[in-house]
Amino acid sequence: MNKLLLTGVFKPYGVTDEYGEALCSMELLYNQVTREQGIHSPRSNNLSFGLYLLAENIQTQSTVLDFPSWKNFTNEVDKGQYTHIGISFIVPNVLKAHRMASYIRRHAPDIKIILGGHGTAIPDLQNMVDCDEICHGEGVSWLRNYFGEDTNRPIIHPAVRTSVRSFVYGAPLMEKAGTILSGVGCQNSCSFCSTSHKFDRKYIAFLDTGKDIYDACIKDEEELGVTDFALMDENFCKSDTRARQLLAEMEKKNKAYTFSAFSSAEAVTKMGVDFLVRMGINLLWIGVESKADLFEKTKGIDLHALIKKLQDNGITVLASLILFLEHHDKENIHEEIDWAISMESDLLQFMQLGLNPGTRIYKEYDEKGKLMRDFPWQRRHGQDTIWFNHPNFTLPESSDYLRNAFSRKYETHGPSIMNMAHTAVKGYLSAKKAMAKREKKKLVWNPEKNAYLKQSGAKPDLYMKLRLEAMKKSAMKFRPALKTMIKYSPNKEAAEKGHMIIDLFNQTFGPVSIKDRIMDFIVQSTAIVENLRFKINGVIMRQPPVIRTVYKDRSRKNTQESKNNGPIKSASIAEPVNAAASLS
Ligand code: SF4
């Protein structure tokens, strides 16, 4: 009988050694969004969601190994119980995949090796990593087909948390969230986008309808105890019918779930802010990419106005910009960075133009001979140096410009977490005011028109009342950290902003509760330790615990254990960190 092990690459992550790099960790925000913000950076390790989705959707007996150490991995291979091992990796982790595959060949030559994830786009991969199969494209169908299973069975959505080891200022303040894997790929086909090209520039839905997504949320709530969700979908707002169905379903069942999502500017504009607030979107990742307006998705859109409107309504915005595009020179790159900073998004990702195999831009640069073909794969992560010949920048310069861009954003607008707290409280206030105004004018939500319209005999908007409570809960999670944000502010302006936010919280929500005072004390205490660790070591890199999930009984309920944390309550091929670099 076939038995499959699905594994991510081995630890340590975010450490420079012969297999990986310090600037490529398993942390999304710290790695490439809140870089240079030190102690203010929220920390967490995102699970390899794709592996759980795969295991849940094949009948072949399988085990998922997430965040293994080298020993965890070799012990698993040495058990001699697997017929197949699938290794998932992104491009910069290819040397880790190589080491793992070599070990399997030496110690268990009968095991078939399958490679998956964004790393499979590497040309001539089979000559770099010993393997039997390479899974390109969407993995569930591929695996079902490979094992001779029915490829048309409905998708079972796995209950998976977004992350482990979540901290801010060394304290476990971040709310637990579930992951919703509604689909992969994006039809927008931006030339640089790995995720779009991996799925042939098409969107493939795992959850076809809003009801399907709602059911996945319910499952996560029951099994993981979460009401907040990360929508892992390259461009969630693009599927507007499904999003509207999801809102209708939540309204029907009185559920005010909250979501973070990736969406392109044109799709966000089409959905409209009123809809997004009503649906509970509290964070949006929007690729603004370039002042030069090079991509269809941003054409004709006033991005400054869009971002301001979203934030004024309580939606945190993470904007992302690409540096070292072809037209950039030593003057206009500063204009580009200043343009992105001037949007005042809560969070801002700077990513070097990453020429990833499989994309249109990779092909173009390769054909023009601009690509540095011998550049080490493990260094191609977009947070150190570029790996092509740019007419105006050397490689070391590209590293400096990038780091300075992050510092400029931090110095200009203070810690991202402070901005997020501000957006959350502003949003609660504006939603409350808008609701009162609508009641006065007898405006009610019209799902067909996607707008609030006048209606005689209008009843109070009970769903928005529920939504307001959820917005309050989202804002209140920042409160115990506000004083700490001020204490470690980078400058006077940021400290003043912090005080203004505290005043706004007090005016909006009244005096601080005893519970929040205790939490405040705890955060201030853990921050002292965290700050000292930063000062002494320059960096804090926590390694996530291994998580091993066995999918034995194909009818359901799996066993999961975590080495460092003990058993986890209950129980997808793509690593999230750099894949997310090119989203929306
Ligand atoms: S960058 Fe965003 S909008 Fe463009 S193809 Fe990728 S996911 Fe779609």
Side-chain angles (χ1 to χ4, degrees):
M1 202 204 326
N2 289 325
K3 262 190 120 180
L4 170 70
L5 174 70
L6 290 163
T7 180
V9 295
F10 60 91
K11 293 180 277 205
Y13 312 120
V15 171
T16 301
D17 57 19
E18 61 185 299
Y19 307 104
E21 287 244 309
L23 288 162
C24 181
S25 67
M26 284 274 184
E27 291 188 63
L28 179 56
L29 292 183
Y30 180 74
N31 197 66
Q32 59 211 49
V33 179
T34 50
R35 240 188 98 171
E36 308 304 321
Q37 296 191 14
I39 189 176
H40 299 286
S41 181
R43 310 293 301 263
S44 67
N45 298 106
N46 302 106
L47 279 86
S48 305
F49 322 116
L51 299 181
Y52 300 90
L53 179 74
L54 295 173
E56 191 86 57
N57 283 283
I58 52 170
Q59 281 162 335
T60 304
Q61 276 197 24
S62 47
T63 297
V64 170
L65 200 58
D66 215 351
F67 310 128
S69 63
W70 178 249
K71 198 162 180 345
N72 299 141
F73 168 72
T74 54
N75 282 349
E76 204 66 40
V77 175
D78 295 346
K79 284 178 184 168
Q81 56 182 228
Y82 298 104
T83 55
H84 298 75
I85 295 182
I87 307 170
S88 169
F89 64 102
I90 51 174
V91 169
N93 283 333
V94 68
L95 296 186
K96 292 196 179 207
H98 165 73
R99 186 183 182 203
M100 293 165 91
S102 304
Y103 184 88
I104 299 167
R105 281 289 190 255
R106 270 201 318 278
H107 296 265
D110 290 340
I111 292 179
K112 300 270 183 244
I113 301 172
I114 306 169
L115 304 180
H118 281 274
T120 58
I122 294 175
D124 297 328
L125 179 64
Q126 60 277 23
N127 295 327
M128 283 178 74
V129 182
D130 202 348
C131 64
D132 297 286
E133 299 286 345
I134 298 177
C135 164
H136 293 287
E138 191 272 295
V140 174
S141 308
W142 191 94
L143 272 184
R144 283 175 171 178
N145 192 44
Y146 179 76
F147 286 115
E149 299 179 16
D150 177 4
T151 50
N152 295 317
R153 269 188 306 126
I155 296 281
I156 301 169
H157 195 273
V160 188
R161 314 177 271 178
T162 51
S163 55
V164 288
R165 279 190 176 266
S166 301
F167 296 95
V168 194
Y169 303 112
L173 271 183
M174 277 139 77
E175 204 182 348
K176 270 197 307 176
T179 310
I180 301 296
L181 302 150
S182 44
V184 287
C186 176
Q187 56 274 55
N188 276 12
S189 182
C190 302
S191 58
F192 61 89
C193 181
S194 306
T195 47
S196 182
H197 288 82
K198 181 166 176 64
F199 303 102
D200 275 342
R201 295 176 268 162
K202 290 188 195 96
Y203 178 68
I204 302 166
F206 292 131
L207 302 173
D208 289 310
T209 66
K211 169 85 167 62
D212 293 338
I213 298 180
Y214 177 79
D215 289 344
C217 295
I218 289 282
K219 181 175 170 183
D220 275 11
E221 185 179 10
E222 286 171 1
E223 296 193 18
L224 308 170
V226 297
T227 55
D228 185 39
F229 304 91
L231 291 163
M232 291 306 293
D233 195 297
E234 275 81 355
N235 199 347
F236 182 76
C237 289
K238 200 84 181 163
S239 310
D240 56 336
T241 306
R242 190 179 60 177
R244 290 188 200 195
Q245 291 166 345
L246 172 59
L247 172 59
E249 207 60 39
M250 288 195 292
E251 293 206 32
K252 209 157 67 184
K253 308 281 173 40
N254 279 325
K255 288 280 184 193
Y257 291 140
T258 51
F259 303 92
S260 47
F262 303 92
S263 285
S264 53
E266 98 289 6
V268 171
T269 306
K270 191 171 167 216
M271 290 297 329
V273 175
D274 283 347
F275 172 84
L276 296 169
V277 171
R278 197 166 179 89
M279 201 195 118
I281 298 280
N282 59 15
L283 186 148
L284 271 182
W285 181 312
I286 302 175
V288 297
E289 320 302 5
S290 169
K291 188 183 176 190
D293 208 7
L294 302 171
F295 305 97
E296 277 304 313
K297 63 183 179 176
T298 54
K299 285 212 179 344
I301 295 174
D302 181 343
L303 292 165
H304 283 77
L306 176 66
I307 289 174
K308 183 171 185 323
K309 192 165 181 195
L310 290 164
Q311 289 173 314
D312 285 347
N313 284 280
I315 299 174
T316 292
V317 178
L318 193 168
S320 54
L321 185 85
I322 305 173
L323 295 181
F324 310 106
L325 287 162
E326 197 150 18
H327 68 281
H328 284 162
D329 59 32
K330 284 184 176 144
E331 261 179 42
N332 67 22
I333 198 160
H334 291 294
E335 289 165 21
E336 192 82 83
I337 293 166
D338 289 344
W339 172 79
I341 292 175
S342 72
M343 289 185 190
E344 299 196 38
S345 59
D346 306 272
L347 301 123
L348 181 56
Q349 172 183 271
F350 294 99
M351 184 56 82
Q352 292 162 336
L353 176 62
L355 300 183
N356 285 318
T359 58
R360 245 178 14 259
I361 201 160
Y362 179 93
K363 204 164 165 252
E364 280 165 25
Y365 273 60
D366 198 19
E367 282 167 4
K368 288 182 194 160
K370 291 193 206 168
L371 197 61
M372 294 176 175
R373 285 190 171 187
D374 296 332
F375 194 85
W377 291 101
Q378 71 273 24
R379 296 187 59 202
R380 301 186 190 200
H381 47 70
Q383 284 297 316
D384 187 13
T385 70
I386 51 175
W387 54 93
F388 56 93
N389 294 306
H390 196 289
N392 301 313
F393 300 95
T394 64
L395 268 53
E397 280 172 346
S398 70
S399 178
D400 294 342
Y401 274 88
L402 183 74
R403 194 174 47 251
N404 291 337
F406 279 111
S407 297
R408 258 156 76 186
K409 168 67 180 166
Y410 178 45
E411 297 285 330
T412 311
H413 293 138
S416 295
I417 189 158
M418 189 183 266
N419 300 321
M420 292 165 77
H422 191 202
T423 294
V425 65
K426 267 193 310 189
Y428 173 80
L429 274 174
S430 65
K432 202 173 162 190
K433 274 188 208 151
M435 202 169 105
K437 217 162 141 185
R438 288 196 297 266
E439 282 195 7
K440 223 166 150 187
K441 292 187 171 174
K442 300 198 181 320
L443 297 175
V444 296
W445 181 248
N446 183 316
E448 282 79 41
K449 302 279 183 220
N450 202 33
Y452 290 101
L453 299 177
K454 201 165 176 86
Q455 191 181 302
S456 59
K459 292 195 184 121
D461 192 345
L462 296 180
Y463 185 72
M464 266 316 279
K465 272 200 178 140
L466 214 58
R467 172 62 61 216
L468 262 185
E469 280 309 303
M471 291 176 90
K472 180 177 177 182
K473 189 175 154 211
S474 298
M476 291 300 269
K477 69 179 184 240
F478 294 103
R479 204 170 192 183
L482 292 172
K483 282 192 189 152
T484 306
M485 294 177 200
I486 295 171
K487 184 173 173 189
Y488 298 97
S489 285
N491 49 39
K492 195 165 108 303
E493 290 75 19
E496 282 170 5
K497 190 196 245 182
H499 286 293
M500 178 273 288
I501 297 170
I502 286 186
D503 289 346
L504 196 56
F505 265 81
N506 293 343
Q507 287 158 22
T508 310
F509 301 118
V512 182
S513 66
I514 293 178
K515 189 180 155 214
D516 280 345
R517 277 178 206 276
I518 295 168
M519 276 307 294
D520 176 353
F521 175 74
I522 292 171
V523 179
Q524 294 204 48
S525 309
T526 54
I528 291 171
V529 179
E530 196 83 342
N531 193 43
L532 262 176
R533 289 181 69 191
F534 258 112
K535 281 200 166 142
I536 294 165
N537 305 322
V539 69
I540 301 172
M541 194 52 65
R542 294 181 176 90
Q543 296 299 327
V546 60
I547 300 174
R548 181 175 182 273
T549 310
V550 181
Y551 292 76
K552 256 190 210 144
D553 174 1
R554 306 315 303 159
S555 62
R556 274 236 84 204
K557 210 62 187 174
N558 311 300
T559 53
Q560 189 174 63
E561 58 190 43
S562 155
K563 264 282 157 54
N564 302 356
N565 284 359
I568 298 174
K569 185 178 172 273
S570 147
S572 333
I573 291 179
E575 287 162 83
V577 176
N578 280 18
S582 54
L583 293 174
S584 291

